[in-house]
Amino acid sequence: MKPTKRDLRQSRILATLADAPMLRVKALASALEVTTETIRRDLEELAERGLIARTYGGAMLRAPSEPVLSKRERQLVPEREAIARAAQPRLKRARTLMIGSGATTAILARRIAFEMTGLTVIAHSFAVATALAQNPTIRVLMVPGEYHPEEGAMHGGAAVRFLQGYSADWTILGASALSPDGPSDALIEAGDVYATMLRQGARNMIVADHTKFDRMASARYAGWSEIDLLVSDHAPEGPLARALDRGEVEMLVAPPRQV
């Protein structure tokens, strides 16, 4: 079947957003030489298909579905290791940590186990807890709750209630996506857990590689004003960089390992 003008236009919208991840309706209408009403209809249809996320006055690509944790752990390993090397020294004065699930946080947990002693860590991820168990001086409190097998982590009301009884010097979380509105996760179940961890942390850190920039996922768990530090392998640009500035988020770029 020959593609319609609408099909071709919507394909061009997706291609344009891939190059410029956040665009306004007027800019898209001008680029495609159609009315703003036509663009708004196209964006609504693309949003209903789960391909984009609508923003105020525009659109942004939606983060692709994340593979299971065991597969993510084999991806972007040098970038995640660089992030862990840069992030760990910021924690050296901490005595209590809360750490969320994810491939990057698991690598950071291994570095914490190697570099630090005498900590208490509150974790809902078995990968994080297992990494920390290599160091017998680190006490791990495992969060109870409903087990999510693909993520290897505990979620749900029991997890949230448990976390509310503790506080931490630092909360460290990963993210599926980072947009100007804040960090978000592909798992809706993780949103409440992460938001609770952030409320219990004296300082809050996000560790996420550059592939998460300028994307939105299902569960936004914080605004940038709630985050103290973002550690990544590249510095963001454009609307995301400006949002970090407005939120007074410190940006730490992880240098690559010198050969």
Side-chain angles (χ1 to χ4, degrees):
M1 182 182 297
K2 185 178 180 180
T4 66
K5 288 183 178 180
R6 183 182 64 179
D7 293 334
L8 293 172
R9 189 174 59 247
Q10 292 183 359
S11 294
R12 288 185 63 190
I13 289 172
L14 293 174
T16 302
L17 285 172
D19 292 331
M22 186 175 182
L23 283 177
R24 311 288 288 181
V25 167
K26 289 183 178 179
L28 283 168
S30 177
L32 299 180
E33 299 180 337
V34 295
T35 66
T36 55
E37 289 76 13
T38 296
I39 289 295
R40 287 192 180 94
R41 287 194 296 270
D42 286 336
L43 294 180
E44 291 297 336
E45 290 181 14
L46 290 169
E48 288 176 2
R49 290 160 56 191
L51 298 174
I52 66 168
R54 290 301 310 271
T55 63
Y56 183 74
M60 174 178 287
L61 286 178
R62 183 168 289 280
S65 299
E66 281 198 318
V68 298
L69 179 62
S70 59
K71 184 174 181 179
R72 300 202 314 271
E73 288 176 331
R74 300 191 295 272
Q75 299 171 339
L76 298 166
V77 173
E79 291 84 353
R80 298 183 199 278
E81 289 178 341
I83 291 168
R85 286 195 302 273
Q88 184 274 320
R90 295 300 187 95
L91 308 172
K92 61 184 178 181
R93 293 188 177 88
R95 304 318 316 155
T96 304
L97 305 175
M98 286 188 182
I99 304 180
S101 64
T104 306
T105 52
I107 289 176
L108 176 55
R110 290 200 292 271
R111 179 153 288 270
I112 289 170
F114 182 76
E115 298 284 354
M116 302 177 72
T117 60
L119 287 173
T120 296
V121 179
I122 300 158
H124 73 129
S125 159
F126 283 91
V128 168
T130 300
L132 295 168
Q134 300 174 60
N135 186 331
T137 76
I138 296 178
R139 180 188 183 205
V140 179
L141 300 183
M142 193 67 203
V143 176
E146 182 177 352
Y147 181 64
H148 191 288
E150 293 183 349
E151 190 66 15
M154 309 300 282
H155 298 117
V160 169
R161 289 190 295 273
F162 179 87
L163 289 164
Q164 289 169 342
Y166 294 88
S167 60
D169 300 310
W170 275 98
T171 289
I172 305 110
L173 300 175
S176 301
L178 304 175
S179 80
D181 290 333
S184 54
D185 198 86
L187 280 180
I188 294 174
E189 301 94 323
D192 287 342
V193 171
Y194 290 170
T196 304
M197 284 184 163
L198 291 175
R199 287 193 293 269
Q200 306 307 109
R203 302 197 73 196
N204 297 318
M205 176 192 301
I206 302 296
V207 290
D209 66 80
H210 69 281
T211 65
K212 311 301 174 61
F213 293 175
D214 300 306
R215 297 289 188 270
M216 294 180 70
S218 299
R220 185 174 72 88
Y221 57 80
W224 288 117
S225 62
E226 301 169 73
I227 307 302
D228 297 288
L229 176 63
L230 170 62
V231 188
S232 188
D233 57 319
H234 290 291
E237 299 176 351
L240 178 55
R242 292 192 290 273
L244 295 177
D245 287 340
R246 288 194 300 271
E248 299 182 346
V249 180
E250 180 185 357
M251 181 71 220
L252 178 58
V253 178
R257 182 182 289 277
Q258 299 299 315
V259 179

